[in-house]
Amino acid sequence: MTTLPRLKPEDKCFPNLDGSGDWGIKGYQKRGGYKGLKELLKTPQMQHIEKLKASSLRGRGGAGFPTGMKWSFMPQPKLDEKGKLIPLAKPSYLVCNADEGEPGTCKDRDILRYDPHTLVEGMIVGCYTLNAKVGYIYVRGEYYDESSHLQQAINEAYEAGFLGKNILGTGVDVDIHVHLGAGAYICGEETALLESLEGKKGQPRLKPPFPAGFGLYGCPTTINNVETIAQVPPILKNPTEWFTRWGRPGNSGTKIFSISGSVNKPGNVEAPMSIPLRELIDEYCGGVIGGWDNLQAIIPGGSSTPMLNPEQASRVLMDFDALKAEGTGLGTAAIVVMDKSVDVLRVMTRIAGFYHHESCGQCTPCREGVGWVHRLMERLSQGDGTIDELDQLFALTKKIEGRTICAFADGAMWPTQGTLKHFRHLFEERIKAKQSAA
Amino acid sequence: MPTIRTVQIDPNATHAAEVGQTPHALGLNLSWNKAEQEAVTRTLAKYPADRQRSAVIPLLHMAQRKCGGWLPVDAMQLVADTLSLPYIRVYEVATFYTMFNLKPVGKHHVQVCTNCACLIRGSDAIVSAVKDVSGIEHNGETSEDGTFTLTEVECLGACVAAPMMQIGTHYYTHLTADKTKEILQHLAKGGDPAKYADTAPTTEADPIHNGKYGA
């Protein structure tokens, strides 16, 4: 089997992801960071947005929305008849979503602690491109040690003149602030994050209006994941092909994959998009514990994405479109591997419990339904119930999915649907065993 | 949804006891000291002058640190008074977020992740090890000597280093039952929490009291 070449440091957006080098400003500059920043801040904003579109960068936070298109929704100042800039009516904001909480996902944590300047530089370029003078980085509250690294990186960038007023003499002003959350998965949903940043309960807003028109404090706002923002400077500094040479069309670039669970060497790795899942596990993570034949199931993109069975896992490519075609998704590219020793029903019940705990309580189908699904999963995974209830459980998930303000309930139902699809026989075996014992 | 803990108004009370409907202050008469007041000023400067409500969560973090790891109603009221907000606007935030503890916790709040990746890698053994060392029998309880509180928590985002736990601000990763016991015994003896921590925080920037720039 031929394998893709390993990325060299100069191919990567995050050369220090493994933490082997200095995460401070000196180490970052030695790796080429902040080089060419001045030129980026002098280039017309629309040129940056066009280049992002050409790179086909898609959001790394889970939804995979094209970043260039998202950024093009933000208002740009227009010229009046005399060619003078008409200032925008309201301030614009760039908000970075570092509220990483999807079970299995831990890539942003390593960016924050091992390469925080990639995010800082991304915020500077992003704020400039979107005409924002202020950017907020919303970090989950549990990442205290990690956010201390980020705050130090921000301090260093101010001292070096990369942040503040008139950056490097370009006339661009950018301030960025770290804002700690306090433990709520739902705040990773962009409008819930904005509510939380405004000092309220993190309950998602109805859309429309979308944040690009009415976001933070009612002003135009773009919200992007840490990895997305940090990938912007290298994309803009290099030729378009530097990024698009990796992956299939529409799924370009490099991506951080977090591989956890039953593998010999779990870890975060930056690899080309569209890499075969099996190659990622065998070549980068020392293989499945007990060998590939010992594989039971794989969650490909964080707990919300339905599982793959071994047959699917052995052929699927890790990108947005390939995983969608398998009925699941790339999500955050958080791969959770389960070998045959794992009680997969227990794991999926635990995941159902997670969504039960994290529902924000705003919409009735989710608030009541997610708990109902969890309780059914708890009972049925122990074999306490009837075969009919498996159909009832599936029907219930279909009555919750798509009937709420945000996508939380959908993401909460998909794993249960995936479990019923691939492991219905396990439920049935346990139910029958209990029945014959009784 | 958690309920705000209440007690009879007793100025000497250190532990909230009853769960009730109406939040009562403990009569602690809290105020920010000078260093905290400066941190409050730095925090408020991050947000537009007419949007100071944004500081609710950062100030609740400060108040929780001030009160030894939990939020008596008095602390919530201090935050509300600082921001000129009705108390309910702070109560509803304090009760929404998992990190705000509405009852006292032990000196070391041990939060063990038991979500998927940690479960697969053996978080059951970690929970048992914590119970063995601390004498705690159930999730959510505090040891009799007040040293440890055990909470099973949702994914803490260190899945590739599973199983893991958080104690205070630090992450402890790649755990085994023996390593967990060693860490807890080290802490019980008053050892430095950073010794076994996964990531050393920098001393230059304190995310709760806020860094020197970007304020």
Side-chain angles (χ1 to χ4, degrees):
Chain A
M1 200 169 72
T2 54
T3 53
L4 291 166
R6 293 270 183 140
L7 294 178
K8 299 188 197 75
E10 61 269 28
D11 299 330
K12 292 183 177 181
C13 294
F14 305 98
N16 199 40
L17 191 67
D18 60 357
S20 57
D22 168 20
W23 58 264
I25 194 163
K26 280 192 190 137
Y28 182 63
Q29 287 186 299
K30 207 180 274 177
R31 293 188 291 273
Y34 294 120
K35 211 166 131 190
L37 175 63
K38 193 172 175 180
E39 285 66 41
L40 289 185
L41 298 184
K42 287 176 165 175
T43 310
Q45 284 103 329
M46 285 315 292
Q47 216 166 307
H48 286 333
I49 290 175
E50 288 310 318
K51 188 153 186 194
L52 280 179
K53 283 184 182 169
S55 78
S56 55
L57 171 66
R58 292 168 71 171
R60 299 319 198 202
F65 193 83
T67 306
M69 194 193 291
K70 193 179 206 175
W71 284 22
S72 71
F73 298 152
M74 290 288 279
Q76 290 287 346
K78 295 192 175 68
L79 300 175
D80 67 10
E81 296 137 7
K82 289 174 191 157
K84 269 184 72 180
L85 274 181
I86 310 170
L88 294 168
K90 285 177 174 178
S92 296
Y93 292 103
L94 173 62
V95 177
C96 173
N97 184 345
D99 191 54
E100 182 171 61
E102 174 94 358
T105 315
C106 50
K107 63 190 177 66
D108 298 342
R109 174 168 181 258
D110 280 359
I111 299 175
L112 295 176
R113 65 188 179 136
Y114 290 146
D115 226 347
H117 280 284
T118 59
L119 175 60
V120 175
E121 189 173 5
M123 288 295 289
I124 298 166
V125 176
C127 281
Y128 161 71
T129 307
L130 301 168
N131 297 291
K133 290 199 184 311
V134 179
Y136 292 100
I137 303 173
Y138 186 103
V139 187
R140 71 177 294 182
E142 290 89 343
Y143 285 177
Y144 176 92
D145 294 347
E146 293 76 7
S147 50
S148 81
H149 285 204
L150 175 63
Q151 183 65 55
Q152 184 176 325
I154 291 171
N155 296 350
E156 289 170 344
Y158 270 100
E159 274 161 30
F162 299 136
L163 274 172
K165 296 257 177 281
N166 192 17
I167 296 170
L168 302 172
T170 56
V172 177
D173 305 337
V174 174
D175 283 305
I176 60 180
H177 307 295
V178 177
H179 180 103
L180 281 191
Y185 169 73
I186 192 60
C187 291
E189 198 281 342
E190 59 177 12
T191 58
L193 186 151
L194 294 179
E195 287 287 298
S196 181
L197 188 48
E198 291 182 2
K200 303 170 194 164
K201 289 182 287 183
Q203 294 188 320
R205 298 173 182 171
L206 264 176
K207 291 191 270 191
F210 292 95
F214 190 94
L216 183 65
Y217 309 132
C219 299
T221 304
T222 290
I223 302 120
N224 279 116
N225 175 259
V226 174
E227 190 184 352
T228 316
I229 293 177
Q231 283 189 314
V232 167
I235 289 173
L236 296 182
K237 287 176 190 178
N238 286 294
T240 306
E241 300 72 45
W242 180 83
F243 198 68
T244 55
R245 68 192 151 138
W246 307 110
R248 302 188 303 158
N251 298 277
S252 295
T254 63
K255 173 86 190 77
I256 302 176
F257 298 91
S258 318
I259 304 109
S260 62
S262 315
V263 290
N264 288 309
K265 281 197 314 185
N268 279 314
V269 291
E270 183 175 356
M273 278 286 255
S274 309
I275 185 173
L277 174 55
R278 181 164 183 178
E279 180 179 333
L280 198 56
I281 291 171
D282 285 346
E283 298 295 318
Y284 292 77
C285 302
V288 178
I289 294 175
W292 186 261
D293 292 338
N294 194 33
L295 178 66
Q296 184 173 204
I298 293 183
I299 299 172
S303 65
S304 298
T305 56
M307 284 181 285
L308 296 168
N309 62 30
E311 187 261 323
Q312 290 172 303
S314 57
R315 61 176 149 84
V316 77
L317 303 181
M318 288 303 290
D319 67 31
F320 293 104
D321 299 333
L323 283 160
K324 196 175 172 199
E326 294 289 344
T328 178
L330 181 66
T332 53
I335 298 156
V336 185
V337 180
M338 289 178 261
D339 68 22
K340 284 182 177 156
S341 70
V342 173
D343 180 352
V344 64
L345 296 191
R346 186 177 170 210
V347 172
M348 299 318 286
T349 303
R350 181 66 187 81
I351 288 176
F354 164 76
Y355 289 105
H356 183 193
H357 181 265
E358 297 295 341
S359 173
C360 83
Q362 189 173 206
C363 311
T364 310
C366 177
R367 182 184 63 240
E368 305 299 326
V370 174
W372 192 0
V373 166
H374 175 216
R375 290 189 295 274
L376 267 172
M377 282 288 285
E378 270 194 325
R379 199 155 53 73
L380 294 172
S381 66
Q382 300 295 318
D384 293 324
T386 61
I387 304 285
D388 288 351
E389 282 182 299
L390 294 173
D391 300 321
Q392 198 183 14
L393 174 59
F394 186 78
L396 178 60
T397 66
K398 285 290 178 189
K399 290 190 166 67
I400 296 168
E401 182 189 348
R403 286 172 163 79
T404 51
I405 288 176
C406 79
F408 175 96
D410 308 354
M413 294 303 108
W414 293 334
T416 299
Q417 290 167 3
T419 314
L420 285 167
K421 184 174 150 198
H422 293 302
F423 292 99
R424 189 183 165 101
H425 61 281
L426 281 184
F427 283 111
E428 289 182 355
E429 278 165 26
R430 290 182 192 186
I431 290 169
K432 282 174 188 157
K434 274 263 162 110
Q435 281 171 345
S436 55
Chain B
M1 286 292 256
T3 314
I4 292 179
R5 301 267 157 168
T6 68
V7 293
Q8 299 297 318
I9 297 176
D10 173 5
N12 299 318
T14 53
H15 280 48
E18 301 294 319
V19 177
Q21 296 300 316
T22 316
H24 278 299
L26 299 177
L28 300 175
N29 229 346
L30 297 175
S31 60
W32 303 115
N33 64 29
K34 189 163 174 284
E36 288 162 348
Q37 188 57 54
E38 285 166 13
V40 168
T41 308
R42 280 197 298 276
T43 304
L44 293 179
K46 291 181 177 184
Y47 311 101
D50 55 343
R51 302 288 181 175
Q52 300 287 286
R53 187 177 170 188
S54 278
V56 168
I57 290 175
L59 294 195
L60 282 172
H61 277 302
M62 283 176 54
Q64 178 155 292
R65 178 185 280 187
K66 181 183 179 70
C67 296
W70 74 294
L71 282 174
V73 171
D74 311 55
M76 302 180 203
Q77 293 180 351
L78 172 65
V79 171
D81 289 339
T82 307
L83 297 172
S84 307
L85 287 172
Y87 290 161
I88 182 64
R89 293 282 165 255
V90 177
Y91 297 160
E92 66 178 4
V93 171
T95 53
F96 186 86
Y97 294 90
T98 313
M99 284 179 74
F100 296 130
N101 298 311
L102 305 177
K103 58 179 183 177
V105 293
K107 186 175 172 213
H108 301 290
H109 188 192
V110 183
Q111 305 187 75
V112 184
C113 173
T114 56
N115 211 309
C116 55
C118 287
L119 181 62
I120 293 168
R121 302 285 295 196
S123 60
D124 287 350
I126 310 307
V127 172
S128 303
V130 175
K131 287 179 177 172
D132 283 353
V133 174
S134 64
I136 294 169
E137 285 180 14
H138 302 103
N139 179 29
E141 289 176 357
T142 300
S143 61
E144 278 176 20
D145 61 359
T147 308
F148 296 110
T149 297
L150 167 65
T151 313
E152 288 183 31
V153 292
E154 299 302 346
C155 184
L156 289 172
C159 314
V160 299
M164 60 80 62
M165 62 181 172
Q166 180 169 28
I167 304 177
T169 63
H170 298 314
Y171 276 24
Y172 301 87
T173 54
H174 297 290
L175 295 175
T176 59
D178 288 343
K179 190 174 167 189
T180 307
K181 287 179 185 173
E182 193 182 325
I183 294 169
L184 261 59
Q185 281 155 358
H186 170 75
L187 292 175
K189 279 186 273 183
D192 175 15
K195 184 182 170 193
Y196 292 90
D198 174 82
T199 303
T202 73
T203 47
E204 276 192 41
D206 172 352
I208 288 181
H209 278 198
N210 287 305
K212 44 186 172 177
Y213 294 97

